[in-house]
Amino acid sequence: MTSLTDAQLKEFFTKVDARLKQHMLAASDRGELALQNFVPKTGIGKFDAKLDVRKHRLDVTVNFAYDWFRDRGNPEHQIWTPMDQIKFREAAKPLIEKGWSELYTLTSAKPGWLDVFADVFVHFNEVDSARAAYIVRVTKLRQFKSSGGIDHGVTPHLCGVNQFACEVDTSKNAGQAFNYKEGIIRNFLRQTSPTGGGDFVPFEPNKTELDTQASLALAKWTTLARPQLGPDLAALRLFVVGFRGKSDSVVHRHLESKRAEAVVAFLNAKLKTLDNTPIALAVAETDPVAKADVTSLKARTKDNPKLGKGGALVIVGTPTGAARVLPFRYVVMQHEFGHMLGLPDEYMGVHDNLTKSLNTLDAVIPATYQAVRAENNNERLQRMQYGMAVDLQSANVAAPNFMSTTGNARTLEAQQHDAAMNKFYDARTTARKKAGDDAEKYEAWKRKNPEPVAPANTSTISTSIMHSGDEILPCHYVTIWSAIAAITAGYMDPAEWKIVPNPRKPSTIARFKST
Protein backbone atom coordinates (compact mmCIF):
# COMPACT_ATOMS: atom_id res chain seq x y z
CA MET A 1 0.00 0.00 0.00
CA THR A 2 1.39 3.40 -1.00
CA SER A 3 1.72 5.86 1.88
CA LEU A 4 0.73 9.50 1.47
CA THR A 5 3.34 12.21 1.42
CA ASP A 6 3.27 15.03 3.96
CA ALA A 7 1.90 17.38 1.30
CA GLN A 8 -0.86 14.91 0.40
CA LEU A 9 -1.77 14.45 4.07
CA LYS A 10 -1.93 18.21 4.54
CA GLU A 11 -4.16 18.55 1.47
CA PHE A 12 -6.41 15.74 2.73
CA PHE A 13 -6.91 17.25 6.19
CA THR A 14 -7.45 20.69 4.67
CA LYS A 15 -10.31 19.26 2.61
CA VAL A 16 -11.72 17.48 5.66
CA ASP A 17 -11.61 20.73 7.65
CA ALA A 18 -13.28 22.64 4.83
CA ARG A 19 -16.04 20.04 4.67
CA LEU A 20 -16.46 20.14 8.45
CA LYS A 21 -16.77 23.91 8.30
CA GLN A 22 -19.47 23.62 5.62
CA HIS A 23 -21.41 21.22 7.85
CA MET A 24 -21.15 23.67 10.78
CA LEU A 25 -22.42 26.52 8.59
CA ALA A 26 -25.32 24.35 7.45
CA ALA A 27 -26.15 23.44 11.06
CA SER A 28 -26.06 27.12 11.95
CA ASP A 29 -28.41 27.95 9.06
CA ARG A 30 -30.85 25.34 10.38
CA GLY A 31 -30.69 26.87 13.86
CA GLU A 32 -29.15 23.75 15.35
CA LEU A 33 -26.15 25.38 17.04
CA ALA A 34 -28.02 26.11 20.23
CA LEU A 35 -28.37 25.06 23.85
CA GLN A 36 -31.24 25.42 26.27
CA ASN A 37 -30.95 25.67 30.05
CA PHE A 38 -27.18 25.38 29.91
CA VAL A 39 -25.52 25.00 33.33
CA PRO A 40 -21.75 25.69 33.36
CA LYS A 41 -19.18 23.58 35.21
CA THR A 42 -19.53 25.87 38.24
CA GLY A 43 -22.84 24.14 38.94
CA ILE A 44 -24.74 27.44 39.10
CA GLY A 45 -26.31 29.59 36.42
CA LYS A 46 -28.76 28.64 33.69
CA PHE A 47 -29.14 30.24 30.27
CA ASP A 48 -29.89 29.57 26.61
CA ALA A 49 -27.29 30.16 23.90
CA LYS A 50 -27.56 30.23 20.10
CA LEU A 51 -24.70 30.69 17.63
CA ASP A 52 -25.19 32.22 14.18
CA VAL A 53 -21.92 31.59 12.37
CA ARG A 54 -22.73 33.75 9.34
CA LYS A 55 -23.82 36.74 11.39
CA HIS A 56 -20.92 36.32 13.83
CA ARG A 57 -23.11 36.49 16.90
CA LEU A 58 -23.81 34.42 19.96
CA ASP A 59 -27.09 35.20 21.67
CA VAL A 60 -27.18 34.43 25.38
CA THR A 61 -30.60 34.51 27.01
CA VAL A 62 -31.61 34.30 30.66
CA ASN A 63 -35.33 33.64 30.99
CA PHE A 64 -36.85 35.00 34.17
CA ALA A 65 -40.08 36.15 35.78
CA TYR A 66 -40.63 38.92 38.32
CA ASP A 67 -42.17 38.45 41.74
CA TRP A 68 -43.07 41.80 43.29
CA PHE A 69 -42.75 40.73 46.88
CA ARG A 70 -44.13 42.18 50.10
CA ASP A 71 -44.26 40.64 53.54
CA ARG A 72 -47.24 42.37 55.15
CA GLY A 73 -45.89 41.52 58.60
CA ASN A 74 -42.66 43.41 57.92
CA PRO A 75 -42.99 47.19 58.48
CA GLU A 76 -39.96 47.81 56.25
CA HIS A 77 -41.76 46.34 53.23
CA GLN A 78 -43.70 48.84 51.13
CA ILE A 79 -46.56 48.46 48.65
CA TRP A 80 -45.62 48.11 44.98
CA THR A 81 -47.46 50.33 42.51
CA PRO A 82 -47.71 49.56 38.79
CA MET A 83 -45.49 52.57 38.07
CA ASP A 84 -42.85 51.28 40.53
CA GLN A 85 -42.78 47.99 38.68
CA ILE A 86 -42.50 49.66 35.27
CA LYS A 87 -39.59 51.81 36.45
CA PHE A 88 -37.70 48.79 37.76
CA ARG A 89 -38.30 46.83 34.55
CA GLU A 90 -37.17 49.71 32.38
CA ALA A 91 -34.02 50.15 34.46
CA ALA A 92 -32.98 46.49 34.77
CA LYS A 93 -33.22 45.33 31.16
CA PRO A 94 -30.90 47.89 29.47
CA LEU A 95 -28.58 47.92 32.49
CA ILE A 96 -27.90 44.21 32.08
CA GLU A 97 -28.08 43.89 28.31
CA LYS A 98 -25.87 46.89 27.52
CA GLY A 99 -23.56 46.21 30.44
CA TRP A 100 -22.80 42.58 29.56
CA SER A 101 -23.03 42.55 25.74
CA GLU A 102 -20.22 42.93 23.18
CA LEU A 103 -17.42 43.44 25.69
CA TYR A 104 -15.26 40.64 24.29
CA THR A 105 -15.27 38.54 21.14
CA LEU A 106 -15.16 34.75 20.97
CA THR A 107 -12.94 33.80 18.06
CA SER A 108 -11.63 30.60 16.51
CA ALA A 109 -7.89 29.99 16.61
CA LYS A 110 -8.23 26.91 14.41
CA PRO A 111 -6.05 27.15 11.29
CA GLY A 112 -8.18 28.14 8.32
CA TRP A 113 -11.11 29.07 10.56
CA LEU A 114 -10.08 32.59 11.56
CA ASP A 115 -13.23 33.95 9.90
CA VAL A 116 -15.28 32.09 12.55
CA PHE A 117 -15.95 34.42 15.46
CA ALA A 118 -18.90 35.75 17.43
CA ASP A 119 -19.80 38.84 19.38
CA VAL A 120 -21.91 38.20 22.47
CA PHE A 121 -25.42 39.64 22.77
CA VAL A 122 -27.04 39.20 26.16
CA HIS A 123 -30.81 39.11 26.62
CA PHE A 124 -32.61 39.53 29.93
CA ASN A 125 -35.87 37.94 28.81
CA GLU A 126 -39.01 38.22 30.94
CA VAL A 127 -41.32 35.21 30.54
CA ASP A 128 -44.12 33.62 32.52
CA SER A 129 -43.04 31.84 35.69
CA ALA A 130 -43.64 28.38 34.18
CA ARG A 131 -40.84 28.96 31.63
CA ALA A 132 -38.52 30.94 33.88
CA ALA A 133 -35.07 29.72 34.85
CA TYR A 134 -35.04 32.43 37.54
CA ILE A 135 -37.62 34.19 39.65
CA VAL A 136 -36.43 37.71 40.39
CA ARG A 137 -38.11 38.55 43.69
CA VAL A 138 -37.98 42.30 44.23
CA THR A 139 -38.85 43.76 47.61
CA LYS A 140 -39.72 47.44 48.03
CA LEU A 141 -38.07 48.72 51.19
CA ARG A 142 -38.66 51.84 53.25
CA GLN A 143 -34.99 52.91 53.00
CA PHE A 144 -31.84 52.01 51.07
CA LYS A 145 -30.20 48.68 51.77
CA SER A 146 -27.40 46.98 49.85
CA SER A 147 -28.61 43.42 49.42
CA GLY A 148 -28.97 40.67 46.86
CA GLY A 149 -28.55 36.93 46.52
CA ILE A 150 -29.54 33.85 44.56
CA ASP A 151 -30.77 30.51 45.85
CA HIS A 152 -29.74 27.87 43.30
CA GLY A 153 -31.11 25.14 45.54
CA VAL A 154 -34.69 25.73 44.37
CA THR A 155 -36.27 25.45 40.90
CA PRO A 156 -36.77 27.90 39.35
CA HIS A 157 -33.78 29.56 40.98
CA LEU A 158 -34.67 32.48 43.22
CA CYS A 159 -32.89 35.85 42.93
CA GLY A 160 -33.72 38.20 45.78
CA VAL A 161 -33.10 41.95 45.43
CA ASN A 162 -34.78 45.21 46.39
CA GLN A 163 -35.90 48.28 44.42
CA PHE A 164 -32.43 49.85 44.73
CA ALA A 165 -30.74 46.97 42.86
CA CYS A 166 -30.44 48.95 39.61
CA GLU A 167 -28.86 51.96 41.27
CA VAL A 168 -25.21 52.57 42.09
CA ASP A 169 -24.42 51.11 45.50
CA THR A 170 -22.67 53.81 47.53
CA SER A 171 -22.14 51.52 50.53
CA LYS A 172 -18.94 50.08 49.05
CA ASN A 173 -15.68 51.54 50.37
CA ALA A 174 -14.29 53.83 47.66
CA GLY A 175 -10.96 54.16 49.45
CA GLN A 176 -10.44 50.39 49.55
CA ALA A 177 -11.22 50.21 45.83
CA PHE A 178 -8.49 52.82 45.21
CA ASN A 179 -6.07 50.71 47.24
CA TYR A 180 -6.83 47.76 44.98
CA LYS A 181 -6.14 49.59 41.72
CA GLU A 182 -2.99 51.12 43.19
CA GLY A 183 -1.92 47.68 44.40
CA ILE A 184 -2.30 46.17 40.93
CA ILE A 185 0.06 48.78 39.49
CA ARG A 186 2.51 48.23 42.36
CA ASN A 187 2.38 44.50 41.75
CA PHE A 188 3.00 44.88 38.02
CA LEU A 189 6.17 46.74 38.97
CA ARG A 190 7.32 44.10 41.47
CA GLN A 191 6.62 41.30 39.02
CA THR A 192 9.06 42.70 36.42
CA SER A 193 11.64 40.79 38.47
CA PRO A 194 11.36 36.98 38.77
CA THR A 195 11.92 37.37 42.52
CA GLY A 196 9.12 39.93 42.90
CA GLY A 197 11.55 42.75 43.63
CA GLY A 198 11.05 44.77 40.46
CA ASP A 199 10.38 47.98 42.39
CA PHE A 200 14.12 48.14 43.17
CA VAL A 201 16.17 49.12 40.12
CA PRO A 202 19.81 48.00 40.59
CA PHE A 203 22.72 50.00 39.16
CA GLU A 204 26.19 48.75 38.35
CA PRO A 205 28.85 49.84 40.88
CA ASN A 206 29.61 53.56 40.68
CA LYS A 207 27.23 54.00 37.72
CA THR A 208 24.34 56.45 37.44
CA GLU A 209 22.94 55.37 34.06
CA LEU A 210 20.24 52.75 33.62
CA ASP A 211 21.59 49.61 31.98
CA THR A 212 19.73 47.77 29.22
CA GLN A 213 18.13 45.21 31.52
CA ALA A 214 16.78 47.85 33.92
CA SER A 215 15.49 49.98 31.03
CA LEU A 216 13.65 47.02 29.52
CA ALA A 217 12.10 46.06 32.87
CA LEU A 218 10.85 49.60 33.49
CA ALA A 219 9.60 49.88 29.90
CA LYS A 220 7.65 46.64 30.34
CA TRP A 221 6.10 47.95 33.53
CA THR A 222 5.13 51.33 32.07
CA THR A 223 3.41 49.52 29.19
CA LEU A 224 1.30 47.57 31.70
CA ALA A 225 0.67 50.56 33.96
CA ARG A 226 -0.23 53.11 31.29
CA PRO A 227 -3.78 51.79 30.57
CA GLN A 228 -4.55 51.79 34.30
CA LEU A 229 -3.62 55.43 34.91
CA GLY A 230 -6.95 56.97 34.00
CA PRO A 231 -9.01 59.64 35.77
CA ASP A 232 -9.72 57.30 38.70
CA LEU A 233 -6.03 57.25 39.64
CA ALA A 234 -5.22 60.85 38.81
CA ALA A 235 -3.69 61.34 42.28
CA LEU A 236 -1.19 58.51 41.84
CA ARG A 237 2.51 59.41 41.80
CA LEU A 238 5.82 57.56 41.63
CA PHE A 239 8.33 58.43 44.35
CA VAL A 240 11.93 57.43 43.65
CA VAL A 241 14.58 56.99 46.34
CA GLY A 242 18.24 56.54 45.37
CA PHE A 243 20.73 54.38 47.29
CA ARG A 244 24.43 53.75 47.45
CA GLY A 245 25.46 50.09 47.59
CA LYS A 246 28.07 48.06 49.39
CA SER A 247 29.98 47.76 46.12
CA ASP A 248 30.05 51.53 45.42
CA SER A 249 33.26 53.46 45.95
CA VAL A 250 33.30 56.37 48.41
CA VAL A 251 35.14 58.38 45.75
CA HIS A 252 31.94 58.71 43.70
CA ARG A 253 29.69 61.36 45.24
CA HIS A 254 25.95 61.94 44.93
CA LEU A 255 25.26 58.47 43.52
CA GLU A 256 21.95 58.34 45.39
CA SER A 257 20.47 61.49 43.88
CA LYS A 258 21.83 60.86 40.38
CA ARG A 259 20.39 57.35 40.29
CA ALA A 260 17.01 58.61 41.47
CA GLU A 261 17.09 61.36 38.84
CA ALA A 262 17.90 58.83 36.10
CA VAL A 263 14.87 56.70 36.99
CA VAL A 264 12.64 59.77 37.39
CA ALA A 265 13.62 60.99 33.92
CA PHE A 266 12.89 57.58 32.38
CA LEU A 267 9.47 57.27 34.04
CA ASN A 268 8.39 60.80 33.18
CA ALA A 269 9.30 60.19 29.55
CA LYS A 270 7.09 57.06 29.48
CA LEU A 271 4.12 58.02 31.66
CA LYS A 272 2.02 61.17 31.86
CA THR A 273 -0.55 62.50 34.29
CA LEU A 274 -3.87 63.83 32.99
CA ASP A 275 -2.64 67.42 33.31
CA ASN A 276 0.83 66.56 31.95
CA THR A 277 2.59 67.29 35.24
CA PRO A 278 5.47 64.94 36.15
CA ILE A 279 4.25 61.65 37.57
CA ALA A 280 7.63 60.69 39.07
CA LEU A 281 9.73 62.67 41.51
CA ALA A 282 12.80 61.99 43.61
CA VAL A 283 12.42 61.93 47.41
CA ALA A 284 14.70 61.22 50.35
CA GLU A 285 14.45 57.87 52.10
CA THR A 286 13.31 59.72 55.24
CA ASP A 287 10.36 61.32 53.42
CA PRO A 288 7.03 60.25 55.02
CA VAL A 289 5.78 58.84 51.71
CA ALA A 290 8.87 56.62 51.46
CA LYS A 291 9.64 55.43 54.98
CA ALA A 292 7.49 52.27 54.99
CA ASP A 293 8.70 51.11 51.58
CA VAL A 294 12.33 51.83 52.44
CA THR A 295 11.98 49.76 55.61
CA SER A 296 10.44 46.96 53.55
CA LEU A 297 13.29 47.14 51.02
CA LYS A 298 15.92 46.80 53.70
CA ALA A 299 14.17 43.69 55.01
CA ARG A 300 14.55 42.05 51.60
CA THR A 301 17.99 40.48 51.81
CA LYS A 302 18.48 40.13 48.06
CA ASP A 303 17.64 43.76 47.24
CA ASN A 304 19.08 45.45 50.34
CA PRO A 305 21.60 47.97 48.96
CA LYS A 306 23.66 47.65 52.13
CA LEU A 307 24.34 44.04 51.21
CA GLY A 308 24.93 44.43 47.46
CA LYS A 309 24.32 46.76 44.56
CA GLY A 310 23.05 50.30 44.94
CA GLY A 311 20.06 51.46 42.96
CA ALA A 312 16.72 53.23 43.12
CA LEU A 313 13.46 52.24 44.77
CA VAL A 314 10.25 53.13 42.91
CA ILE A 315 7.31 53.68 45.26
CA VAL A 316 3.74 53.71 43.91
CA GLY A 317 1.65 55.99 46.10
CA THR A 318 -0.07 59.31 46.57
CA PRO A 319 1.12 62.59 48.08
CA THR A 320 0.13 63.22 51.67
CA GLY A 321 -3.43 64.56 51.79
CA ALA A 322 -4.40 63.45 48.27
CA ALA A 323 -7.86 61.92 47.89
CA ARG A 324 -7.66 58.13 47.63
CA VAL A 325 -11.12 57.21 46.38
CA LEU A 326 -12.70 55.74 43.27
CA PRO A 327 -16.16 56.62 41.97
CA PHE A 328 -18.89 54.29 43.19
CA ARG A 329 -19.92 51.97 40.34
CA TYR A 330 -21.10 48.69 41.87
CA VAL A 331 -24.67 47.79 40.88
CA VAL A 332 -26.34 44.81 42.55
CA MET A 333 -28.42 43.76 39.53
CA GLN A 334 -25.39 43.50 37.26
CA HIS A 335 -23.62 41.39 39.90
CA GLU A 336 -26.60 39.05 40.33
CA PHE A 337 -26.83 38.59 36.57
CA GLY A 338 -23.25 37.32 36.69
CA HIS A 339 -24.51 34.51 38.94
CA MET A 340 -27.22 33.74 36.37
CA LEU A 341 -24.37 33.21 33.88
CA GLY A 342 -22.77 30.77 36.35
CA LEU A 343 -20.12 33.00 37.91
CA PRO A 344 -19.30 32.58 41.62
CA ASP A 345 -18.75 35.34 44.15
CA GLU A 346 -15.13 36.46 44.41
CA TYR A 347 -15.30 37.97 47.91
CA MET A 348 -15.28 34.66 49.79
CA GLY A 349 -11.57 33.93 49.42
CA VAL A 350 -9.90 30.96 47.69
CA HIS A 351 -11.56 27.60 48.36
CA ASP A 352 -10.01 25.40 45.71
CA ASN A 353 -6.41 24.34 45.14
CA LEU A 354 -6.65 24.52 41.33
CA THR A 355 -7.93 28.10 41.62
CA LYS A 356 -5.08 28.83 44.01
CA SER A 357 -2.54 27.41 41.55
CA LEU A 358 -3.90 29.59 38.74
CA ASN A 359 -3.53 32.65 40.93
CA THR A 360 0.00 31.63 41.88
CA LEU A 361 1.23 30.76 38.40
CA ASP A 362 -0.32 33.63 36.48
CA ALA A 363 1.85 36.72 36.87
CA VAL A 364 -0.99 39.12 36.08
CA ILE A 365 -2.74 38.18 39.31
CA PRO A 366 -1.63 40.66 41.97
CA ALA A 367 0.48 38.57 44.34
CA THR A 368 -0.16 41.34 46.83
CA TYR A 369 -3.59 39.86 47.55
CA GLN A 370 -3.07 36.14 47.16
CA ALA A 371 -4.28 33.86 49.89
CA VAL A 372 -1.51 31.94 51.64
CA ARG A 373 -3.54 28.76 51.28
CA ALA A 374 -6.89 27.62 49.96
CA GLU A 375 -9.68 27.16 52.50
CA ASN A 376 -11.15 23.75 51.69
CA ASN A 377 -13.92 23.67 54.29
CA ASN A 378 -16.76 24.84 52.01
CA GLU A 379 -17.63 22.19 49.43
CA ARG A 380 -20.09 24.42 47.57
CA LEU A 381 -17.58 27.24 47.05
CA GLN A 382 -14.86 24.71 46.27
CA ARG A 383 -17.02 23.11 43.57
CA MET A 384 -17.89 26.45 41.96
CA GLN A 385 -14.32 27.72 41.94
CA TYR A 386 -12.95 24.43 40.65
CA GLY A 387 -15.47 24.35 37.80
CA MET A 388 -14.55 27.88 36.80
CA ALA A 389 -10.82 27.15 37.08
CA VAL A 390 -11.11 24.15 34.73
CA ASP A 391 -12.71 26.32 32.05
CA LEU A 392 -10.25 29.16 32.64
CA GLN A 393 -7.40 26.75 31.98
CA SER A 394 -9.00 25.48 28.78
CA ALA A 395 -9.80 29.01 27.60
CA ASN A 396 -6.34 30.23 28.64
CA VAL A 397 -7.78 33.24 30.45
CA ALA A 398 -6.42 34.76 33.66
CA ALA A 399 -8.35 33.87 36.80
CA PRO A 400 -10.21 36.54 38.77
CA ASN A 401 -8.81 37.66 42.09
CA PHE A 402 -10.65 35.60 44.68
CA MET A 403 -10.12 37.23 48.04
CA SER A 404 -12.07 37.70 51.24
CA THR A 405 -14.23 40.75 51.75
CA THR A 406 -11.21 42.90 52.52
CA GLY A 407 -7.69 41.95 51.57
CA ASN A 408 -4.41 43.44 52.74
CA ALA A 409 -2.90 45.55 49.96
CA ARG A 410 0.54 45.33 51.59
CA THR A 411 0.79 41.61 52.17
CA LEU A 412 4.53 41.59 51.38
CA GLU A 413 5.19 43.92 54.30
CA ALA A 414 2.94 41.84 56.55
CA GLN A 415 4.85 38.69 55.61
CA GLN A 416 8.15 40.40 56.41
CA HIS A 417 6.76 41.40 59.79
CA ASP A 418 5.70 37.80 60.47
CA ALA A 419 9.23 36.63 59.69
CA ALA A 420 10.70 39.33 61.96
CA MET A 421 8.33 38.32 64.76
CA ASN A 422 9.40 34.67 64.47
CA LYS A 423 13.03 35.72 64.83
CA PHE A 424 12.11 37.97 67.77
CA TYR A 425 10.28 35.12 69.55
CA ASP A 426 13.23 32.77 69.06
CA ALA A 427 15.68 35.39 70.35
CA ARG A 428 13.44 36.20 73.31
CA THR A 429 13.20 32.52 74.27
CA THR A 430 16.99 32.23 74.13
CA ALA A 431 17.41 35.41 76.20
CA ARG A 432 14.97 34.16 78.84
CA LYS A 433 16.87 30.88 79.17
CA LYS A 434 20.21 32.67 79.43
CA ALA A 435 18.88 35.09 82.05
CA GLY A 436 17.57 32.25 84.21
CA ASP A 437 16.53 33.73 87.56
CA ASP A 438 18.09 37.10 86.78
CA ALA A 439 14.94 39.09 86.00
CA GLU A 440 16.82 42.37 85.56
CA LYS A 441 19.07 40.82 82.92
CA TYR A 442 16.01 39.65 80.98
CA GLU A 443 14.32 43.07 81.29
CA ALA A 444 17.49 44.73 80.04
CA TRP A 445 17.45 42.47 76.98
CA LYS A 446 13.84 43.42 76.27
CA ARG A 447 14.64 47.14 76.50
CA LYS A 448 17.50 46.67 74.07
CA ASN A 449 15.45 44.47 71.70
CA PRO A 450 11.96 45.93 71.29
CA GLU A 451 9.25 43.89 69.58
CA PRO A 452 9.01 44.63 65.82
CA VAL A 453 6.24 47.09 65.02
CA ALA A 454 3.57 45.69 62.73
CA PRO A 455 2.93 47.65 59.50
CA ALA A 456 -0.45 49.25 59.10
CA ASN A 457 -2.73 47.09 56.96
CA THR A 458 -4.02 48.71 53.79
CA SER A 459 -7.44 47.15 53.31
CA THR A 460 -8.81 46.69 49.82
CA ILE A 461 -11.78 45.42 47.85
CA SER A 462 -11.63 44.17 44.28
CA THR A 463 -13.19 46.31 41.54
CA SER A 464 -14.41 43.16 39.74
CA ILE A 465 -18.16 42.90 39.05
CA MET A 466 -18.28 39.64 41.02
CA HIS A 467 -16.63 41.24 44.04
CA SER A 468 -17.36 44.89 44.82
CA GLY A 469 -16.93 46.83 41.59
CA ASP A 470 -18.16 47.21 38.04
CA GLU A 471 -15.41 45.69 35.89
CA ILE A 472 -16.54 42.78 33.74
CA LEU A 473 -13.26 41.02 33.00
CA PRO A 474 -12.37 38.48 30.28
CA CYS A 475 -12.68 35.71 32.88
CA HIS A 476 -16.33 36.68 33.35
CA TYR A 477 -17.05 35.52 29.79
CA VAL A 478 -15.67 32.05 30.53
CA THR A 479 -19.07 30.45 31.16
CA ILE A 480 -20.26 31.95 27.86
CA TRP A 481 -17.07 30.54 26.31
CA SER A 482 -18.00 27.13 27.75
CA ALA A 483 -21.43 27.39 26.09
CA ILE A 484 -20.04 28.11 22.61
CA ALA A 485 -17.49 25.32 23.12
CA ALA A 486 -20.33 22.91 23.93
CA ILE A 487 -22.39 24.11 20.95
CA THR A 488 -19.57 23.50 18.49
CA ALA A 489 -18.09 20.40 20.13
CA GLY A 490 -18.66 18.28 17.03
CA TYR A 491 -16.74 20.70 14.85
CA MET A 492 -14.01 22.28 16.97
CA ASP A 493 -11.88 21.51 19.99
CA PRO A 494 -12.96 23.74 22.93
CA ALA A 495 -9.41 25.08 23.32
CA GLU A 496 -9.63 26.47 19.77
CA TRP A 497 -12.10 29.10 21.01
CA LYS A 498 -10.43 32.20 22.46
CA ILE A 499 -11.74 35.22 24.37
CA VAL A 500 -10.19 38.32 22.80
CA PRO A 501 -10.81 42.09 22.99
CA ASN A 502 -13.72 43.39 20.97
CA PRO A 503 -12.18 45.79 18.42
CA ARG A 504 -15.15 48.11 18.93
CA LYS A 505 -14.45 48.28 22.68
CA PRO A 506 -10.76 49.25 22.91
CA SER A 507 -11.17 50.21 26.57
CA THR A 508 -11.47 46.51 27.46
CA ILE A 509 -7.97 45.71 26.15
CA ALA A 510 -6.45 46.87 29.45
CA ARG A 511 -8.57 44.31 31.31
CA PHE A 512 -6.55 41.48 29.82
CA LYS A 513 -3.74 42.76 32.08
CA SER A 514 -5.69 44.05 35.11
CA THR A 515 -7.48 41.00 36.68
Side-chain angles (χ1 to χ4, degrees):
M1 181 177 178
T2 304
S3 60
L4 297 176
T5 66
D6 289 346
Q8 289 172 326
L9 282 171
K10 182 178 180 181
E11 181 183 4
F12 172 76
F13 284 115
T14 298
K15 289 180 178 179
V16 170
D17 254 3
R19 189 64 177 164
L20 196 61
K21 190 175 179 181
Q22 289 177 354
H23 279 292
M24 189 172 79
L25 282 167
S28 173
D29 293 340
R30 294 191 298 269
E32 295 174 358
L33 299 185
L35 293 171
Q36 287 188 323
N37 294 324
F38 177 72
V39 179
K41 289 185 179 70
T42 55
I44 61 171
K46 186 178 289 185
F47 56 88
D48 298 342
K50 184 176 182 180
L51 174 63
D52 190 319
V53 179
R54 295 189 191 277
K55 293 182 179 179
H56 302 295
R57 65 180 290 152
L58 178 71
D59 290 279
V60 174
T61 303
V62 171
N63 296 308
F64 76 99
Y66 279 118
D67 173 18
W68 307 101
F69 182 72
R70 182 194 176 202
D71 179 357
R72 295 180 181 273
N74 190 331
E76 293 299 313
H77 288 200
Q78 304 295 291
I79 298 173
W80 282 100
T81 68
M83 183 54 66
D84 291 334
Q85 296 174 8
I86 290 172
K87 286 181 178 179
F88 191 92
R89 280 191 172 98
E90 291 181 345
K93 187 175 178 65
L95 175 77
I96 289 169
E97 294 183 346
K98 291 180 181 178
W100 280 89
S101 294
E102 296 185 277
L103 291 177
Y104 308 103
T105 298
L106 301 172
T107 189
S108 168
K110 187 175 183 177
W113 291 48
L114 299 183
D115 57 338
V116 176
F117 62 89
D119 289 325
V120 176
F121 295 86
V122 165
H123 307 280
F124 194 47
N125 186 41
E126 186 174 359
V127 297
D128 61 79
S129 58
R131 296 191 296 128
Y134 286 88
I135 302 297
V136 179
R137 175 172 288 175
V138 193
T139 304
K140 185 179 178 183
L141 300 179
R142 186 185 301 274
Q143 58 186 2
F144 175 83
K145 182 180 180 182
S146 176
S147 64
I150 293 186
D151 183 356
H152 281 99
V154 297
T155 304
H157 306 316
L158 182 62
C159 172
V161 294
N162 60 52
Q163 82 271 29
F164 302 106
C166 297
E167 301 176 14
V168 174
D169 184 347
T170 59
S171 69
K172 301 299 180 183
N173 189 305
Q176 292 181 0
F178 185 98
N179 295 341
Y180 179 77
K181 300 295 282 187
E182 177 191 60
I184 286 178
I185 294 175
R186 181 186 301 115
N187 187 74
F188 283 160
L189 176 59
R190 287 177 172 171
Q191 292 300 320
T192 58
S193 165
T195 62
D199 52 348
F200 182 72
V201 183
F203 280 69
E204 290 301 316
N206 306 317
K207 300 294 185 181
T208 58
E209 302 82 21
L210 287 165
D211 62 21
T212 302
Q213 185 175 352
S215 297
L216 288 174
L218 285 176
K220 176 184 177 182
W221 173 65
T222 55
T223 300
L224 293 173
R226 191 177 298 111
Q228 315 298 327
L229 295 173
D232 290 352
L233 298 178
L236 208 67
R237 293 293 181 270
L238 308 174
F239 305 102
V240 183
V241 182
F243 293 91
R244 298 182 68 88
K246 182 181 179 181
S247 51
D248 289 321
S249 170
V250 294
V251 175
H252 292 79
R253 304 177 61 192
H254 308 301
L255 289 176
E256 304 95 318
S257 59
K258 290 179 180 179
R259 286 167 173 169
E261 288 165 4
V263 174
V264 165
F266 184 95
L267 294 175
N268 283 333
K270 296 288 185 180
L271 298 173
K272 302 291 183 183
T273 60
L274 294 179
D275 59 1
N276 286 321
T277 56
I279 193 170
L281 62 155
V283 297
E285 62 177 284
T286 55
D287 191 294
V289 299
K291 289 178 69 175
D293 289 85
V294 169
T295 300
S296 173
L297 172 68
K298 292 179 178 179
R300 285 149 49 182
T301 304
K302 182 180 183 301
D303 297 322
N304 189 341
K306 290 185 177 180
L307 303 177
K309 287 184 177 181
L313 176 67
V314 182
I315 300 166
V316 179
T318 52
T320 303
R324 296 175 55 85
V325 295
L326 289 184
F328 294 103
R329 295 197 182 100
Y330 177 80
V331 179
V332 169
M333 205 63 208
Q334 284 190 321
H335 173 95
E336 299 304 332
F337 186 78
H339 291 315
M340 297 179 192
L341 294 179
L343 299 170
D345 285 318
E346 295 167 14
Y347 51 73
M348 303 296 288
V350 179
H351 288 263
D352 164 66
N353 287 321
L354 178 59
T355 302
K356 170 62 182 166
S357 72
L358 291 183
N359 285 0
T360 302
L361 296 176
D362 194 328
V364 302
I365 296 296
T368 314
Y369 309 109
Q370 287 174 13
V372 175
R373 60 188 175 86
E375 298 289 343
N376 298 121
N377 57 352
N378 189 312
E379 290 185 6
R380 179 171 171 272
L381 290 175
Q382 186 178 0
R383 184 172 61 253
M384 286 190 288
Q385 290 183 8
Y386 176 78
M388 186 176 186
V390 168
D391 277 343
L392 287 170
Q393 277 192 318
S394 299
N396 194 27
V397 174
N401 198 354
F402 288 97
M403 65 186 196
S404 57
T405 307
T406 57
N408 178 7
R410 287 192 173 273
T411 297
L412 177 62
E413 288 76 5
Q415 290 171 347
Q416 291 170 348
H417 173 69
D418 289 342
M421 286 299 298
N422 288 335
K423 290 182 180 179
F424 172 79
Y425 291 142
D426 290 342
R428 188 177 65 181
T429 300
T430 301
R432 186 183 291 119
K433 290 179 179 178
K434 286 183 177 180
D437 296 332
D438 191 341
E440 179 54 35
K441 184 177 180 181
Y442 177 58
E443 289 301 320
W445 181 91
K446 288 201 297 182
R447 288 193 295 270
K448 188 178 179 180
N449 299 274
E451 183 175 317
V453 178
N457 285 344
T458 307
S459 295
T460 177
I461 53 176
S462 165
T463 51
S464 161
I465 187 66
M466 299 313 295
H467 196 289
S468 304
D470 70 314
E471 293 182 345
I472 299 174
L473 305 171
C475 60
H476 297 138
Y477 262 38
V478 76
T479 53
I480 298 173
W481 170 92
S482 66
I484 200 172
I487 287 171
T488 59
Y491 308 96
M492 296 173 58
D493 186 277
E496 291 174 326
W497 281 108
K498 304 297 179 184
I499 302 172
V500 300
N502 186 326
R504 294 184 298 279
K505 297 286 181 72
S507 62
T508 62
I509 293 175
R511 294 180 181 173
F512 281 81
K513 293 293 184 181
S514 64
T515 53

